[in-house]
Amino acid sequence: MSESTDAAAAADRTDPAGRIAAGYAFTGPALDLGALLWDGACLPDRQIRIPLSMLNRHGLVAGATGTGKTKTLQLIAEQLSANGVPVFLADIKGDVSGITAPGTPGARIDERARDVAQSWEPTGYPGEFYSLGGIGPGIPVRSTVTAFGPVLMSKVLQLNQTQEQSLGLIFHYADTKGLELIDLKDLRAVVAFLVSDQGKAELKGIGGLSTVTAGVILRALTAFETQGATEFFGEPEFDTSELLRTAADGRGVVSVLELPAVQDKPQLFSTFLMWLLADLYNDLPEVGDLEKPKLVFFFDEAHLLFSGASKAFLQSVTQTVRLIRSKGVGVFFVTQTPKDVPADVLAQLGNRVQHALRAFTPDDAKALKATVKTFPHSAYDLEELLTGLGTGEAVVTVLSENGAPTPVAATRLRAPQSLMGPIAAADLEQAVKASLLWSRYAEPVDRESAYEKISAEQAAAEAQAEAAAAAAEAEKQARAAEKEAGRATGRGAPKADPSLAEQVVGSGLFRSLARSIGTQLGREISRSLFGTARRRR
């Protein structure tokens, strides 16, 4: 062993903090997270960073309530924006809207800046505020049922394989017949029509649709609608490329999806995530590794995303997270403990910022041990460290510029430069209405689609049947009158051939239509005739 190697080894033994800090001495652009904590002291000259080029390798920000997770994602999002990278924030609690406003100076901010050698300046960042279908404040984000597609819809509705195939057949029929599936009423109308007496023949040659399967799909749609999905599906459809914009000064636009109004509807939120990521993945070209990502997502309160999720949903998220990296998109999950994220998804998250964990109960202690096992070998006693971290402190390990994990580093994090809290409701509303996107997406468009077309055909068929019935009745009465007149004169009337109206009334098609109108499914697609479910304009 050479003298220089011996000296390096000795330095490692005598200065473990220096060895840890050396793992974060990157040569390319990097985001500053904070200063190293070692042996109870904060070392401002030992900076902990994350390479900008590694932000598309995904990440996790975890920790108990009140430990500073939201401030961490705000800190990272600010620096991404400053480096020209657009950011998407799913704001479940409504407390990150302040990223667009300058922060408020104070003694605690000054103290934190001194501790970590931060040059702190109050700064707001360019942003847009969105909402799911107009539920709550923000520019409405909508998708059409057609764009959502049968596979994704089947996963959301938790259909089995047979039911999924039937739903695919329904979409295929609607597409070939020019029946646009814009909102959920359109899908419901097509399903109902295809199991009615006059609609069954439409699919008979390619498999058909059983009444039982149709019932399952309709019940699943009803349950989905109770989660608020009715507002999400419609037009104008949101163009996901809007999330890739930069401001005039070159900074990345921070897109904040305001979700407080739907935090009790996790299925709706999950649906949005699946559609958004799938849409971006389909539209974006393969780019491989870039100097900086095209877009970075942050999904706050990720346990709401995965809670009660179906197996199909988890598989979809895992696959999307794995593949979307090559499109230049990074995904960060923010939650309380790593166990909130499925193992297959967790395995894809190369960058970790772990805030303090609690160990008040046996389950907490078990979760703590499981979390420690997910970190590389460390010079720290992680079980002790993770229960003793203060607010705004975290254990960090990221991917270095060559893709290898960095040493585990206890870190006192920098303070965000934007407002740490929500902006005033009036300011939020003003920002939304002032956006150039407001006029593009705010007003829903309710054009003619499958529901209206099927209802119109049903109305025309009913009108024709009623006219034929009336004509038949009039002709019957005329014959009766003629017969009565014949009796009075003692002459019988010659027997007439059946009229066209009689032929229509007596036909199997008319009887089939009459029966279908009386069924529940028939009523479902005929309600507009009775004024009970007219579409809003």
Side-chain angles (χ1 to χ4, degrees):
M1 185 178 293
S2 66
E3 291 184 7
S4 60
T5 304
D6 289 340
D12 280 352
R13 290 192 295 271
T14 58
D15 185 19
R19 178 176 59 83
I20 294 172
Y24 293 86
F26 309 122
T27 57
L31 309 186
D32 296 310
L33 298 180
L36 181 69
L37 289 170
W38 180 259
D39 199 21
C42 182
L43 309 177
D45 59 329
R46 307 289 173 87
Q47 290 291 306
I48 305 303
R49 310 160 76 216
I50 178 172
L52 186 60
S53 61
M54 290 292 110
L55 266 297
N56 71 330
R57 302 302 177 93
H58 311 318
L60 175 73
V61 179
T65 300
T67 56
K69 301 187 301 296
T70 303
K71 304 302 179 289
T72 297
L73 75 87
Q74 192 169 339
L75 171 68
I76 298 174
E78 288 178 353
Q79 295 185 67
L80 284 168
S81 175
N83 280 276
V85 178
V87 177
F88 173 87
L89 299 175
D91 185 13
I92 293 286
K93 296 177 292 185
D95 54 3
V96 297
S97 59
I99 196 168
T100 59
T104 304
R108 295 180 64 182
I109 295 289
D110 292 342
E111 181 182 2
R112 176 58 61 102
R114 285 194 301 270
D115 286 348
V116 300
Q118 177 184 10
S119 179
W120 189 91
E121 294 182 5
T123 309
Y125 295 82
E128 296 279 10
F129 297 98
Y130 298 97
S131 63
L132 288 187
I135 305 174
I139 299 162
V141 175
R142 303 181 185 91
S143 169
T144 64
V145 172
T146 295
F148 209 70
V151 175
L152 200 54
M153 185 66 76
S154 296
K155 291 179 179 178
V156 170
L157 299 179
Q158 301 184 28
L159 304 180
N160 62 31
Q161 185 177 3
T162 300
Q163 294 157 357
E164 180 178 340
Q165 292 170 348
S166 295
L167 188 61
L169 197 63
I170 293 166
F171 272 73
H172 172 73
Y173 171 80
D175 185 49
T176 57
K177 295 295 184 180
L179 297 172
E180 295 88 350
L181 301 179
I182 304 300
D183 52 28
L184 293 180
K185 289 199 299 298
D186 293 325
L187 181 56
R188 182 184 291 278
V190 174
V191 174
F193 170 73
L194 289 175
V195 291
S196 66
D197 288 338
Q198 70 269 34
K200 286 179 180 178
E202 296 286 333
L203 289 182
K204 194 171 184 180
I206 51 175
L209 176 66
S210 74
T211 304
V212 173
T213 298
V216 171
I217 294 173
L218 290 172
R219 287 193 296 273
L221 283 172
T222 299
F224 192 32
E225 287 169 336
T226 62
Q227 288 284 314
T230 302
E231 301 293 333
F232 174 57
F233 290 98
E235 288 184 322
E237 185 176 27
F238 183 71
D239 183 354
T240 53
S241 66
E242 307 282 13
L243 304 178
L244 303 173
R245 295 182 301 124
T246 54
D249 60 6
R251 293 185 297 172
V253 172
V254 181
S255 299
V256 183
L257 179 66
E258 291 296 325
L259 293 169
V262 294
Q263 61 180 309
D264 61 337
K265 300 177 177 65
Q267 188 179 18
L268 180 59
F269 174 45
S270 302
T271 301
F272 171 78
L273 169 66
M274 293 176 68
W275 167 72
L276 187 63
L277 290 183
D279 193 73
L280 278 167
Y281 178 77
N282 289 330
D283 289 349
L284 292 175
E286 292 279 345
V287 293
D289 292 326
L290 302 172
E291 292 183 358
K292 62 183 180 181
K294 288 186 174 182
L295 175 70
V296 176
F297 277 70
F298 290 89
F299 291 101
D300 200 2
E301 302 294 322
H303 66 280
L304 293 177
L305 172 65
F306 296 109
S307 177
S310 67
K311 183 179 179 181
F313 171 74
L314 297 179
Q315 290 173 343
S316 178
V317 172
T318 302
Q319 182 180 22
T320 302
V321 170
R322 181 185 299 118
L323 297 178
I324 205 168
R325 180 190 68 81
S326 63
K327 303 297 184 87
V329 177
V331 182
F332 273 69
F333 295 99
V334 184
T335 189
Q336 296 188 6
T337 70
K339 69 182 181 66
D340 292 334
V341 180
D344 289 343
V345 176
L346 192 63
Q348 308 298 318
L349 312 182
N351 302 298
R352 300 276 299 277
V353 180
Q354 177 67 60
H355 288 264
L357 292 174
R358 309 298 181 220
F360 298 139
T361 69
D363 285 344
D364 290 341
K366 185 177 179 180
L368 175 62
K369 291 182 180 294
T371 299
V372 169
K373 290 180 180 179
T374 64
F375 281 92
H377 176 73
S378 170
Y380 298 92
D381 181 343
L382 285 180
E383 284 194 38
E384 180 179 351
L385 177 62
L386 286 172
T387 56
L389 290 170
T391 301
E393 297 176 346
V395 172
V396 174
T397 180
V398 301
L399 294 180
S400 65
E401 290 168 311
N402 62 9
T406 58
V408 175
T411 307
R412 181 162 294 165
L413 297 167
R414 293 183 169 218
Q417 298 186 126
S418 56
L419 182 64
M420 291 187 281
I423 60 175
D427 294 337
L428 175 57
E429 183 176 1
Q430 182 179 1
V432 170
K433 299 293 177 62
S435 171
L436 296 177
L437 301 182
W438 176 253
S439 60
R440 192 178 306 170
Y441 296 107
E443 192 66 29
V445 177
D446 203 359
R447 63 185 174 92
E448 183 184 59
S449 51
Y451 177 84
E452 287 80 9
K453 290 179 180 180
I454 290 176
S455 296
E457 290 180 7
Q458 186 78 3
E462 286 185 25
Q464 183 179 0
E466 290 174 0
E473 179 64 23
E475 190 163 343
K476 180 180 177 182
Q477 292 178 4
R479 285 201 309 272
E482 185 179 350
K483 185 176 181 182
E484 187 65 29
R487 286 196 189 120
T489 60
R491 297 192 305 271
K495 184 174 180 66
D497 292 332
S499 68
L500 176 61
E502 286 178 301
Q503 293 177 42
V504 171
V505 173
S507 69
L509 175 62
F510 179 82
R511 292 195 297 270
S512 172
L513 175 62
R515 285 197 303 272
S516 70
I517 293 175
T519 65
Q520 177 61 36
L521 291 176
R523 288 195 299 271
E524 196 68 39
I525 62 175
S526 304
R527 282 183 177 170
S528 63
L529 302 177
F530 306 106
T532 58
R534 289 217 176 264
R535 210 164 188 188
R536 290 179 297 178
R537 295 291 178 184

